[in-house]
């Protein structure tokens, strides 16, 4: 991957463990020469992240707390990044949340609060983060979020999160239009199922992975590194003509009827 993002300052949001998709992305971006800035929500994630960085000999430029449920927290995180780093060139948005009990059974049972929570953390957060990041992207930039096929089709148990991902993907398109004039691109990677802490919350997750092995053109599941490399592509100049796109990194599963 050489020096695809050499010297670029990129903010990564959403490392909670070694299995996090954001950690696969960290690995790809680090190998390609990026300067990395991290945000975390829970103290537990901060500790995990610090240990991981140490273990893999990766030096973070900065690690700041950011709870996307709060406008103040987002403003404060990006203000700190502005003060400490200055210009940034990329943001990796890899955060989502829904109540576990709404990731099973019927979507029709979704509560008002549960619906709003999933939308707020998993979709609106991209809007708020894009607005804050834009101020620091004085040389243009790239914003990449993580979505899933449940946005496009009914996937059993994905329910309220599928609807939040549909909203996220539509936001990618509207934000791409807004940000284009500032030289900022906004895209999404739609990954196949990967075993992470969040994935544990979705009922019947193991079966979903089994279906990919059986039916996807490539007959195997994807991993964090594949998503990392696709995200690297979006962060690099190789994708300079692409915005508002949802790129499937799913062994081709989405083309199968
Ligand atoms: P992880 O659990 O590893 O990561 C989820 C991250 O979201 C955590 O770091 C968590 O931080 C963060 N988060 C949750 N709520 C907030 C909040 N209010 N403010 C800031 N951060 C928050 O799971 P994944 O790596 O699987 O998830 C990353 C993204 O990838 C999500 O958008 C997910 O929907 C998407 N995705 C996952 C797939 C999969 O199969 N795993 C497939 C396709 C897409 P903390 O723990 O500190 O709260």
């Amino acid at each position: 991957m050489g020096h695809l993002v050499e010297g670029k300052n990129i903010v990564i949001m959403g490392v909670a463990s070694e299995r996090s998709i954001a950690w696969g992305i960290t690995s790809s971006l680090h190998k390609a020469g990026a300067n990395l800035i991290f945000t975390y929500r829970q103290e537990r994630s901060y500790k995990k992240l610090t240990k991981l960085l140490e273990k893999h000999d990766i030096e973070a430029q900065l690690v700041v707390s950011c709870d996307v449920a709060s406008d103040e927290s987002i403003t404060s995180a990006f203000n700190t990044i502005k003060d400490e780093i200055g210009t940034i060139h990329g943001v990796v948005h890899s955060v989502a949340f829904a109540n576990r009990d709404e990731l099973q059974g019927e979507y029709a049972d979704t509560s008002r609060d549960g619906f709003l929570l999933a939308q707020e953390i998993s979709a609106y957060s991209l809007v708020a983060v894009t607005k804050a990041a834009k101020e620091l992207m004085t040389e243009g930039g790239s914003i990449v979020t993580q979505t899933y096929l449940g946005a496009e089709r009914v996937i059993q148990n994905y329910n309220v999160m599928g609807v939040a991902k549909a909203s996220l993907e539509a936001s990618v398109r509207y934000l791409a239009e807004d940000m284009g004039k500032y030289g900022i691109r906004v895209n999404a990677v739609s990954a196949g199922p990967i075993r992470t802490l969040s994935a544990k919350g979705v009922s019947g997750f193991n079966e979903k992975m089994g279906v990919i092995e059986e039916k996807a053109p490539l007959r195997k599941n994807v991993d964090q590194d594949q998503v990392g490399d696709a995200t690297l592509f979006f962060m690099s100049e190789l994708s300079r003509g692409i915005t508002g796109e949802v790129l499937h990194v799913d062994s081709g599963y989405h083309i199968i009827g």
Side-chain angles (χ1 to χ4, degrees), residues 14-17 19-22 40-42 44-45 66-69 94-97 121 146-148 158 165 191-199 205:
V15 177
S17 81
R19 286 173 181 250
S20 290
I21 287 176
Y40 66 93
R41 176 178 62 153
Q42 299 184 75
R44 193 185 63 179
S45 303
C66 182
D67 182 347
V68 299
S94 187
V95 308
F97 190 82
I121 306 304
Q146 301 298 321
T147 185
Y148 179 60
Y158 203 60
K165 291 299 192 193
I194 298 177
R195 220 171 255 119
T196 64
L197 289 172
S198 290
F205 187 80

Side-chain angles (χ1 to χ4, degrees), residues 96-98 102-103 107 118 122 150-151 158-166:
F97 190 82
E102 293 187 303
L103 297 171
Y107 172 62
S122 317
Y158 203 60
N159 298 358
V160 72
M161 188 57 91
V163 175
K165 291 299 192 193

Side-chain angles (χ1 to χ4, degrees), residues 1 5 8 10-39 45 48-63 91-94 146 223-232 235:
M1 306 295 165
V5 287
K8 286 190 197 256
I10 299 175
V11 179
I12 300 184
M13 313 178 73
V15 177
S17 81
E18 195 155 19
R19 286 173 181 250
S20 290
I21 287 176
W23 183 252
I25 296 170
T26 298
S27 188
S28 294
L29 294 179
H30 171 68
K31 282 185 211 143
N35 303 322
L36 301 175
I37 297 135
F38 296 88
T39 75
S45 303
K48 267 267 151 72
L49 173 64
T50 314
K51 276 204 187 123
L52 279 172
L53 290 170
E54 207 172 295
K55 180 173 156 196
H56 294 266
D57 207 16
I58 298 174
E59 200 189 325
Q61 300 294 306
L62 183 67
V63 182
V91 174
V92 173
H93 174 278
S94 187
Q146 301 298 321
D223 62 24
Q224 291 85 340
D225 289 345
Q226 292 168 11
V227 178
D229 286 350
T231 303
L232 166 61
M235 282 295 153

